[in-house]
Amino acid sequence: MKNILSIICFTVFTACTAQTLSLETIAQCSFNDQTCPPVTYVKDINNSLNKYVGTWKGTLNGKIYEFNFIKKENVGETRKWDRLIGRLKITNANGLVEFDSFNKTDIELQKDFRGFNFQKDLKAYLMSFFGGRLGCIDYGYTYLRIKPETPNLMSINFHPDNDIVTQDCSNFKTTLPDNQIIHLTKQ
């Protein structure tokens, strides 16, 4: 009887303290000053990620950029999230593939190109990106934007995380162009 009562109390306590919140609600929170309620699952309740899902193509500086985004639900260890993961293929003007993550597994991509959440104004979705040479600042954040009036057009912008290099980076350029907007069309 004591064990059954303990299980019931634990279940009720867990249900009262653990919450499922939307991506939009969490985007308004600040984890630093603890204004967010306890949450165990950050869910895409409003299907806000769906507009990003699919294959997108665009060109910049003579290169073709092809992105593919899929939505993964309920991923994570302590706090579950719905998020995007991305694949990227870059082909230069001569038709040579310079970068291709289309053959990576979803688990690998969750480390290389994964979503975090929307910015506070809900106009951009933030993803982390790790390219080929991490010691040469080939990692940082991408911002995906789709305007409501043009749902088949997206812009993506990459910003390296920091400026500390740990290896010889002569003649190095980031995999995604640094702080340049790539305009993409949904395929």
Side-chain angles (χ1 to χ4, degrees):
M1 181 69 172
K2 185 178 178 182
N3 286 341
I4 293 172
L5 188 56
S6 295
I7 291 171
I8 291 171
C9 288
F10 177 76
T11 304
V12 169
F13 177 75
T14 302
C16 291
T17 59
Q19 293 186 43
T20 297
L21 295 176
S22 71
L23 291 168
E24 292 84 358
T25 299
I26 289 298
Q28 304 310 309
C29 291
S30 173
F31 288 104
N32 294 335
D33 64 11
Q34 272 118 46
T35 59
C36 292
V39 60
T40 56
Y41 185 16
V42 180
K43 185 169 179 53
D44 187 16
I45 293 169
N46 301 311
N47 295 314
S48 300
L49 295 177
N50 292 358
K51 65 184 174 184
Y52 298 95
V53 172
T55 301
W56 300 79
K57 283 187 180 179
T59 60
L60 181 68
N61 300 328
K63 294 183 182 182
I64 300 169
Y65 293 86
E66 182 178 353
F67 294 87
N68 179 266
F69 298 105
I70 61 172
K71 179 175 158 180
K72 298 297 279 185
E73 296 178 332
N74 204 19
V75 294
E77 293 178 19
T78 54
R79 182 180 292 142
K80 304 292 185 183
W81 285 76
D82 290 352
R83 60 181 50 172
L84 295 178
I85 59 170
R87 289 177 167 78
L88 170 62
K89 182 177 182 180
I90 303 171
T91 307
N92 69 20
N94 296 324
L96 297 173
V97 175
E98 292 184 353
F99 185 88
D100 189 355
S101 65
F102 272 66
N103 293 325
K104 288 191 172 188
T105 67
D106 290 355
I107 292 172
E108 290 173 310
L109 290 170
Q110 289 184 44
K111 296 175 188 167
D112 293 347
F113 199 8
R114 73 178 181 134
F116 283 117
N117 200 8
F118 290 97
Q119 289 188 300
K120 202 168 196 158
D121 65 5
L122 304 177
K123 292 183 180 181
Y125 184 73
L126 178 66
M127 297 183 75
S128 65
F129 176 78
F130 296 91
R133 291 182 60 192
L134 299 180
C136 291
I137 324 167
D138 201 10
Y139 55 93
Y141 299 97
T142 58
Y143 296 85
L144 283 60
R145 288 181 176 83
I146 298 175
K147 294 181 180 176
E149 62 273 14
T150 54
N152 291 323
L153 300 176
M154 180 185 349
S155 63
I156 189 167
N157 192 350
F158 172 72
H159 296 273
D161 190 25
N162 59 38
D163 59 357
I164 299 172
V165 295
T166 59
Q167 56 187 278
D168 179 16
C169 297
S170 303
N171 300 317
F172 172 75
K173 291 185 180 181
T174 55
T175 301
L176 286 172
D178 179 8
N179 201 21
Q180 294 183 46
I181 296 173
I182 304 172
H183 298 282
L184 306 168
T185 303
K186 193 165 193 176
Q187 303 301 296

